[in-house]
Amino acid sequence: MKIINISDIHGDFETFAKALKIIKTSDAEVLAINGDLAGNVFEGKEKDSFINISKTFYNFLSQIYNHTNGQIKTIHDTAKFLISNRVKAPDELKKFAEDYLGFEKKAEERMLRQYQEFKQRFDDLEQKVILIPGNWDGKCINDFLEQENIHNISGKEINGIKFVGYGGSKEHPVNLPLDLTVHYNKDEAYSHLCKHEDAEIALSHNVPRGFEFNGRPPGEYSLLAYLYRNAPSLILTGHTHNPFVSKEKKTGTIVANPGNLGRYENQNFGTFLEIDIDNNFFVKPISLYKINKNSIDEYKFEELISQ
């Protein structure tokens, strides 16, 4: 089975369209996406305003939590509480709460438009598409991509090979409403992945501890523990925006990261991977693709798996 693996698109549909030209002509059977499909929902002054309002509510979270004996825990519920008749709050603070909820609604609507566009493009592919959300993705992802999403569900078998996935991250983008995004629970992730002992390929937005680039952002011990316990043939990761393919020495598990497909901050190119796994579950990286402004370069792996 040949797999095209991409991650961290960040709503960059222009770059994604370039990758699709390769994907559509490929004989790959699966397109696997390791999260962060969605990109910015706020820009410029709107983004600055949202961040300032969010900081205001972060400061009130502990007070509201204590005042309600732990019943109010989220920023969303804090805003709803402040505009309710359950508490006397200054008019200025109520206005902040109303504005925050307005931003939250806008963010979800804009995320949904992105997921709808992704769905339309996926439906044009011959490949089976499987994905997990990243920390930039919303819980609303299933409104359009439930069929493709394998996050924290029983997994999906394609041509005799089972895929399992767990997305999200503990790191939260400050310019997105916290309560809309998919969070990473290390205990749940470990338990979910480990119970699927027959899964040969796992998708995770985070990398296992020890596979991060220069230690930042730090990898997850829960994923490393899963790797040692189940020893899947292949773990596909994202989040770090640094492409690599590495072989874990004790288990033989291949851990791969396609890098960021979408342009992000000062990164103005995209990368993605092509990987083969045979009927004996032997994993062979084939190519690393790099999308430049006017071209796509292909680099053959040969025997470049790091030992």
Side-chain angles (χ1 to χ4, degrees), residues 286-301:
I286 301 173
S287 298
L288 170 71
Y289 292 91
K290 180 178 176 181
I291 300 176
N292 301 299
K293 184 176 181 181
N294 298 313
S295 65
I296 300 179
D297 297 327
E298 180 182 2
Y299 302 91
K300 293 291 185 179
F301 270 95

Side-chain angles (χ1 to χ4, degrees), residues 53-199:
I53 289 174
S54 295
K55 288 179 179 178
T56 299
F57 285 112
Y58 281 131
N59 295 332
F60 277 94
L61 273 180
S62 60
Q63 298 177 42
I64 299 296
Y65 179 85
N66 293 330
H67 180 77
T68 61
N69 295 318
Q71 295 181 24
I72 305 294
K73 301 177 182 179
T74 67
I75 298 179
H76 173 85
D77 288 344
T78 296
K80 295 283 285 186
F81 179 73
L82 289 171
I83 63 175
S84 71
N85 296 323
R86 297 167 57 190
V87 62
K88 290 184 178 180
D91 290 341
E92 183 180 8
L93 189 55
K94 286 188 175 184
K95 179 64 167 57
F96 270 116
E98 291 171 352
D99 288 346
Y100 179 84
L101 293 171
F103 274 118
E104 195 177 63
K105 183 178 179 181
K106 284 182 183 178
E108 186 170 38
E109 290 172 347
R110 292 170 184 177
M111 280 181 173
L112 284 170
R113 284 200 290 269
Q114 293 183 57
Y115 295 139
Q116 184 178 27
E117 184 166 350
F118 277 116
K119 178 63 174 175
Q120 291 169 350
R121 300 193 184 202
F122 293 157
D123 286 346
D124 286 338
L125 296 176
E126 293 185 4
Q127 288 84 4
K128 298 284 187 181
V129 180
I130 58 171
L131 59 87
I132 54 168
N135 57 323
W136 278 74
D137 288 310
K139 298 171 185 175
C140 61
I141 191 170
N142 275 352
D143 284 21
F144 288 101
L145 299 173
E146 184 176 12
Q147 183 179 350
E148 293 81 5
N149 188 6
I150 64 168
H151 167 67
N152 203 24
I153 63 170
S154 58
K156 182 173 290 189
E157 186 173 310
I158 302 175
N159 295 344
I161 296 178
K162 184 174 179 180
F163 293 77
V164 67
Y166 193 93
S169 170
K170 289 186 293 189
E171 294 186 323
H172 171 250
V174 296
N175 54 322
L176 286 174
L178 176 63
D179 302 316
L180 294 184
T181 57
V182 178
H183 303 158
Y184 184 87
N185 182 305
K186 60 182 179 63
D187 294 328
E188 183 179 70
Y190 175 76
S191 175
H192 171 67
L193 295 172
C194 283
K195 72 181 180 182
H196 295 284
E197 297 180 358
D198 57 339

Side-chain angles (χ1 to χ4, degrees), residues 203-273:
L203 272 64
S204 172
H205 187 58
N206 295 292
V207 299
R209 182 58 66 97
F211 290 86
E212 58 274 268
F213 182 76
N214 290 335
R216 290 295 307 159
E220 285 291 334
Y221 281 119
S222 54
L223 294 176
L224 184 63
Y226 156 68
L227 186 160
Y228 282 134
R229 175 171 172 172
N230 282 30
S233 298
L234 176 63
I235 298 179
L236 300 173
T237 70
H239 192 47
T240 65
H241 292 197
N242 290 286
F244 69 81
V245 177
S246 182
K247 183 176 182 180
E248 203 287 317
K249 293 181 180 179
K250 293 181 180 179
T251 62
T253 296
I254 300 296
V255 180
N257 189 317
N260 58 299
L261 183 73
R263 291 165 291 186
Y264 183 86
E265 295 182 350
N266 62 338
Q267 298 165 321
N268 58 1
F269 62 87
T271 56
F272 61 99
L273 293 173

